[in-house]
Amino acid sequence: MTDLAYQYVVLRCVPRVEREEFVNVGVLVYCQAADFLQVAWNVDRERLTALHPGLDLDQVCRALDFIEGICAGDSRGGAAADKPLGTRFGFLKAPKSTVVQPGPVHGGITNDPARQLERLAHQLVS
């Protein structure tokens, strides 16, 4: 297989921005050469509730489902889902002031973007 460059961002749940505390809840991988844009996410309800008892965990899950819809290009992602993959990744990696925020963009080389997504999700989210 060919080595492919990819980029990824870790998705963070930031219940109270002013406290600068967060929990990793997902990872997003984009590989232009493989036409690949996918997210893997997991909401650890106990951990997030311990961090911020009043957090609407269903809202967090809806936000992550919206991101998943954008990646998949389906109706869950609204108008953004109709854009080219690179534009969608640009939208998703842009800083936001919502409860789910992207971290910095990182890069790497892989020959299997889907497998790399699994590895990153296991290392950074599980």
Side-chain angles (χ1 to χ4, degrees):
M1 283 209 142
T2 305
D3 285 339
L4 305 167
Y6 72 94
Q7 298 176 67
Y8 74 94
V9 294
V10 175
L11 301 172
R12 303 167 170 174
C13 179
V14 186
R16 292 178 53 195
V17 177
E18 70 277 8
R19 291 185 57 118
E20 298 185 17
E21 297 172 333
F22 63 85
V23 173
N24 293 344
V25 292
V27 65
L28 176 68
V29 170
Y30 172 59
C31 179
Q32 181 178 2
D35 203 32
F36 183 90
L37 177 64
Q38 288 186 18
V39 65
W41 59 273
N42 178 55
V43 173
D44 184 335
R45 290 178 176 265
E46 285 184 31
R47 191 167 174 206
L48 284 170
T49 300
L51 181 63
H52 186 67
L55 180 63
D56 183 345
L57 296 172
D58 291 334
Q59 177 189 9
V60 173
C61 291
R62 283 191 301 274
L64 291 163
D65 188 60
F66 174 71
I67 291 169
E68 190 171 28
I70 292 172
C71 291
D74 66 34
S75 61
R76 294 173 296 160
D82 294 332
K83 305 293 182 195
L85 284 185
T87 302
R88 287 187 253 165
F89 180 66
F91 172 76
L92 293 168
K93 71 178 183 176
K96 297 176 181 52
S97 61
T98 62
V99 71
V100 175
Q101 300 179 6
V105 177
H106 303 280
I109 302 291
T110 186
N111 58 18
D112 186 347
R115 179 71 182 116
Q116 188 63 37
L117 174 61
E118 289 176 20
R119 276 194 291 272
L120 289 168
H122 178 73
Q123 291 172 350
L124 303 171
V125 180
S126 296

Coordinates of all heavy atoms in Angstrom, one line a residue, residues 49-102:
T49 N -20.1 14.0 33.6 CA -21.0 14.5 34.7 C -20.1 14.8 36.0 O -20.5 15.8 36.7 CB -22.0 13.3 35.1 OG1 -22.8 13.1 33.9 CG2 -22.9 13.7 36.2
A50 N -19.0 14.1 36.2 CA -18.1 14.5 37.3 C -17.5 15.8 37.1 O -17.3 16.6 38.0 CB -17.1 13.4 37.5
L51 N -17.2 16.1 35.8 CA -16.6 17.4 35.5 C -17.5 18.6 35.6 O -17.2 19.7 36.1 CB -16.0 17.4 34.1 CG -15.3 18.6 33.6 CD1 -14.0 18.9 34.4 CD2 -14.8 18.4 32.1
H52 N -18.8 18.3 35.2 CA -19.8 19.4 35.2 C -21.2 18.7 35.3 O -21.8 18.3 34.3 CB -19.7 20.2 33.9 CG -20.6 21.4 33.9 ND1 -20.5 22.5 34.8 CD2 -21.7 21.7 33.2 CE1 -21.4 23.3 34.5 NE2 -22.2 22.9 33.6
P53 N -21.7 18.6 36.5 CA -22.9 17.9 36.8 C -24.1 18.4 36.0 O -25.0 17.7 35.6 CB -23.2 18.1 38.3 CG -21.8 18.3 38.8 CD -21.1 19.1 37.8
G54 N -24.2 19.7 35.6 CA -25.3 20.2 34.9 C -25.2 20.1 33.4 O -26.1 20.6 32.7
L55 N -24.2 19.5 32.9 CA -24.0 19.4 31.4 C -25.1 18.6 30.8 O -25.5 17.5 31.2 CB -22.6 18.8 31.1 CG -22.3 18.6 29.7 CD1 -22.2 19.9 29.0 CD2 -20.9 17.8 29.6
D56 N -25.7 19.1 29.7 CA -26.7 18.3 28.9 C -25.9 17.3 28.0 O -25.5 17.7 26.9 CB -27.5 19.3 28.1 CG -28.6 18.7 27.3 OD1 -28.6 17.4 27.1 OD2 -29.5 19.4 26.8
L57 N -25.8 16.1 28.4 CA -25.1 15.1 27.7 C -25.7 14.7 26.4 O -25.1 14.4 25.4 CB -24.9 13.9 28.6 CG -24.0 14.1 29.8 CD1 -24.1 12.9 30.7 CD2 -22.6 14.5 29.5
D58 N -27.1 14.8 26.3 CA -27.7 14.6 25.1 C -27.4 15.6 24.0 O -27.2 15.3 22.8 CB -29.3 14.5 25.3 CG -29.7 13.3 26.1 OD1 -28.9 12.3 26.1 OD2 -30.7 13.3 26.7
Q59 N -27.2 16.9 24.5 CA -26.8 17.9 23.5 C -25.4 17.6 23.0 O -25.1 17.8 21.8 CB -26.8 19.3 24.2 CG -26.3 20.4 23.4 CD -26.1 21.7 24.1 OE1 -26.1 21.8 25.3 NE2 -25.8 22.8 23.4
V60 N -24.5 17.1 23.8 CA -23.1 16.7 23.4 C -23.2 15.7 22.3 O -22.6 15.7 21.3 CB -22.3 16.3 24.6 CG1 -20.9 15.7 24.1 CG2 -22.1 17.4 25.6
C61 N -24.1 14.6 22.6 CA -24.2 13.6 21.6 C -24.8 14.1 20.3 O -24.4 13.6 19.2 CB -25.1 12.4 22.2 SG -24.3 11.5 23.6
R62 N -25.8 15.0 20.4 CA -26.4 15.6 19.2 C -25.3 16.3 18.4 O -25.3 16.2 17.1 CB -27.6 16.5 19.5 CG -28.8 15.7 19.9 CD -30.0 16.6 19.9 NE -29.9 17.7 20.9 CZ -30.2 17.6 22.2 NH1 -30.6 16.4 22.7 NH2 -30.1 18.6 23.0
A63 N -24.5 17.1 19.1 CA -23.4 17.8 18.4 C -22.4 16.8 17.7 O -22.0 17.1 16.5 CB -22.6 18.7 19.4
L64 N -22.1 15.7 18.3 CA -21.2 14.8 17.7 C -21.9 14.0 16.6 O -21.3 13.7 15.5 CB -20.7 13.8 18.8 CG -19.7 14.4 19.8 CD1 -19.6 13.6 21.0 CD2 -18.4 14.7 19.1
D65 N -23.2 13.8 16.7 CA -23.9 13.2 15.6 C -24.0 14.1 14.4 O -23.9 13.7 13.2 CB -25.3 12.8 16.0 CG -26.1 12.0 15.0 OD1 -25.6 10.9 14.7 OD2 -27.2 12.5 14.5
F66 N -24.1 15.4 14.6 CA -24.1 16.4 13.6 C -22.7 16.4 12.8 O -22.7 16.4 11.6 CB -24.3 17.8 14.2 CG -24.2 18.9 13.2 CD1 -25.1 19.2 12.2 CD2 -23.1 19.8 13.3 CE1 -25.0 20.2 11.3 CE2 -22.9 20.9 12.4 CZ -23.9 21.1 11.4
I67 N -21.6 16.3 13.6 CA -20.3 16.2 13.0 C -20.2 14.9 12.2 O -19.7 14.9 11.1 CB -19.2 16.2 14.1 CG1 -19.2 17.6 14.7 CG2 -17.9 15.8 13.6 CD1 -18.4 17.7 16.0
E68 N -20.7 13.8 12.7 CA -20.7 12.5 12.0 C -21.5 12.7 10.7 O -21.1 12.1 9.6 CB -21.3 11.4 12.8 CG -21.1 10.0 12.3 CD -21.5 9.0 13.3 OE1 -22.4 9.2 14.1 OE2 -21.0 7.9 13.2
G69 N -22.6 13.4 10.7 CA -23.4 13.6 9.5 C -22.6 14.4 8.4 O -22.7 14.2 7.2
I70 N -21.9 15.4 8.9 CA -21.1 16.2 8.0 C -20.0 15.3 7.3 O -19.8 15.4 6.1 CB -20.4 17.4 8.7 CG1 -21.5 18.4 9.1 CG2 -19.4 18.1 7.8 CD1 -20.9 19.5 10.0
C71 N -19.4 14.5 8.1 CA -18.3 13.6 7.6 C -19.0 12.7 6.5 O -18.4 12.4 5.5 CB -17.7 12.8 8.7 SG -16.6 13.8 9.8
A72 N -20.1 12.1 6.9 CA -20.8 11.1 6.0 C -21.4 11.8 4.8 O -21.8 11.1 3.8 CB -21.8 10.3 6.8
G73 N -21.6 13.1 4.8 CA -22.3 13.8 3.7 C -23.8 13.5 3.7 O -24.4 13.5 2.6
D74 N -24.4 13.2 4.9 CA -25.8 12.9 4.9 C -26.6 14.1 5.6 O -26.0 15.0 6.0 CB -26.1 11.6 5.5 CG -25.8 11.4 7.0 OD1 -25.9 12.4 7.7 OD2 -25.4 10.3 7.4
S75 N -27.9 13.9 5.7 CA -28.8 15.0 6.1 C -28.5 15.4 7.6 O -28.9 16.5 7.9 CB -30.3 14.5 6.0 OG -30.5 13.4 6.8
R76 N -27.9 14.6 8.4 CA -27.6 15.0 9.8 C -26.7 16.2 9.8 O -26.7 16.9 10.7 CB -27.0 13.8 10.5 CG -27.9 12.7 10.8 CD -27.1 11.5 11.4 NE -26.1 11.0 10.5 CZ -25.1 10.3 10.8 NH1 -24.8 10.0 12.1 NH2 -24.2 9.9 10.0
G77 N -25.9 16.4 8.8 CA -24.9 17.4 8.7 C -25.4 18.7 8.1 O -24.6 19.7 7.9
G78 N -26.7 18.8 7.7 CA -27.2 20.0 7.1 C -26.5 20.4 5.8 O -26.0 19.6 5.1
A79 N -26.5 21.7 5.6 CA -25.9 22.2 4.3 C -24.4 21.9 4.2 O -23.9 21.8 3.1 CB -26.2 23.7 4.2
A80 N -23.7 21.9 5.3 CA -22.3 21.6 5.3 C -22.0 20.3 4.7 O -20.9 20.1 4.1 CB -21.7 21.8 6.7
A81 N -22.9 19.3 4.8 CA -22.6 18.0 4.3 C -22.6 17.9 2.8 O -22.1 16.9 2.3 CB -23.7 17.0 4.9
D82 N -23.1 18.9 2.1 CA -23.1 18.9 0.7 C -21.8 19.4 0.1 O -21.6 19.4 -1.1 CB -24.2 19.8 0.1 CG -25.6 19.2 0.5 OD1 -25.7 18.0 0.6 OD2 -26.6 20.0 0.6
K83 N -20.9 19.9 0.9 CA -19.6 20.5 0.4 C -18.6 19.4 0.1 O -18.7 18.3 0.6 CB -19.1 21.5 1.5 CG -20.1 22.6 1.9 CD -20.4 23.5 0.8 CE -21.3 24.6 1.3 NZ -21.9 25.4 0.2
P84 N -17.6 19.8 -0.6 CA -16.4 18.8 -0.9 C -15.8 18.5 0.5 O -15.8 19.2 1.4 CB -15.5 19.6 -1.7 CG -16.3 20.7 -2.4 CD -17.4 21.0 -1.4
L85 N -15.1 17.3 0.5 CA -14.5 16.8 1.8 C -13.6 17.8 2.4 O -13.6 18.0 3.6 CB -13.8 15.5 1.5 CG -14.6 14.2 1.4 CD1 -13.7 13.0 1.3 CD2 -15.6 14.1 2.5
G86 N -12.7 18.4 1.6 CA -11.7 19.4 2.1 C -12.4 20.6 2.8 O -12.0 21.0 3.8
T87 N -13.5 21.0 2.2 CA -14.3 22.1 2.8 C -14.9 21.7 4.1 O -15.0 22.5 5.1 CB -15.3 22.6 1.8 OG1 -14.7 23.0 0.6 CG2 -16.1 23.8 2.3
R88 N -15.5 20.5 4.1 CA -16.1 20.0 5.3 C -15.1 19.9 6.4 O -15.3 20.2 7.6 CB -16.7 18.6 5.1 CG -18.0 18.7 4.3 CD -18.7 17.3 4.2 NE -18.5 16.8 2.9 CZ -18.7 15.5 2.6 NH1 -19.0 14.6 3.5 NH2 -18.5 15.1 1.3
F89 N -13.9 19.4 6.1 CA -12.8 19.3 7.1 C -12.5 20.7 7.7 O -12.3 20.9 8.9 CB -11.6 18.5 6.6 CG -10.5 18.4 7.6 CD1 -10.7 17.6 8.8 CD2 -9.3 19.1 7.5 CE1 -9.7 17.5 9.7 CE2 -8.3 19.0 8.4 CZ -8.5 18.2 9.5
G90 N -12.3 21.6 6.7 CA -12.0 23.0 7.1 C -13.1 23.5 8.1 O -12.8 24.2 9.1
F91 N -14.3 23.3 7.8 CA -15.4 23.7 8.7 C -15.3 23.1 10.0 O -15.5 23.7 11.1 CB -16.8 23.4 8.0 CG -18.0 23.6 8.9 CD1 -18.5 24.9 9.1 CD2 -18.6 22.5 9.5 CE1 -19.6 25.1 9.9 CE2 -19.7 22.8 10.3 CZ -20.2 24.0 10.5
L92 N -15.0 21.8 10.1 CA -15.0 21.0 11.3 C -13.8 21.4 12.2 O -13.9 21.3 13.4 CB -15.1 19.5 11.1 CG -16.4 19.0 10.5 CD1 -16.2 17.6 10.0 CD2 -17.5 19.1 11.5
K93 N -12.7 21.7 11.6 CA -11.5 22.0 12.4 C -11.4 23.4 12.8 O -10.5 23.8 13.6 CB -10.2 21.6 11.6 CG -9.9 22.6 10.4 CD -8.7 22.2 9.7 CE -8.4 23.3 8.6 NZ -7.1 23.1 7.9
A94 N -12.3 24.3 12.3 CA -12.3 25.7 12.7 C -12.6 25.9 14.2 O -13.5 25.2 14.7 CB -13.3 26.5 11.8
P95 N -12.0 26.8 14.9 CA -12.3 27.0 16.3 C -13.7 27.4 16.5 O -14.3 28.1 15.7 CB -11.3 28.1 16.7 CG -10.2 28.1 15.7 CD -10.9 27.6 14.4
K96 N -14.3 26.9 17.5 CA -15.7 27.2 17.9 C -15.8 27.5 19.3 O -15.0 27.1 20.1 CB -16.6 26.0 17.5 CG -16.6 25.8 16.0 CD -17.4 24.5 15.6 CE -17.4 24.2 14.2 NZ -16.0 24.2 13.5
S97 N -16.9 28.2 19.7 CA -17.1 28.5 21.1 C -18.3 27.6 21.7 O -19.0 28.0 22.6 CB -17.4 30.0 21.3 OG -18.6 30.3 20.6
T98 N -18.5 26.5 21.1 CA -19.6 25.6 21.5 C -19.0 24.6 22.5 O -17.8 24.6 22.8 CB -20.2 24.8 20.3 OG1 -19.1 24.0 19.7 CG2 -20.7 25.7 19.3
V99 N -19.9 23.8 23.0 CA -19.5 22.8 24.1 C -18.6 21.7 23.5 O -17.7 21.1 24.2 CB -20.7 22.2 24.8 CG1 -21.5 21.3 24.0 CG2 -20.3 21.6 26.1
V100 N -18.7 21.4 22.2 CA -17.8 20.5 21.5 C -16.9 21.3 20.6 O -17.3 22.0 19.7 CB -18.5 19.4 20.7 CG1 -17.6 18.6 19.9 CG2 -19.4 18.6 21.6
Q101 N -15.5 21.2 20.9 CA -14.6 22.1 20.2 C -13.5 21.2 19.6 O -13.0 20.3 20.2 CB -14.0 23.1 21.1 CG -14.9 24.0 21.7 CD -14.2 25.0 22.7 OE1 -13.0 25.1 22.8 NE2 -15.0 25.8 23.4
P102 N -13.0 21.6 18.4 CA -11.8 20.9 17.9 C -10.5 21.4 18.5 O -10.4 22.6 18.8 CB -11.8 21.3 16.4 CG -12.5 22.6 16.4 CD -13.5 22.6 17.5

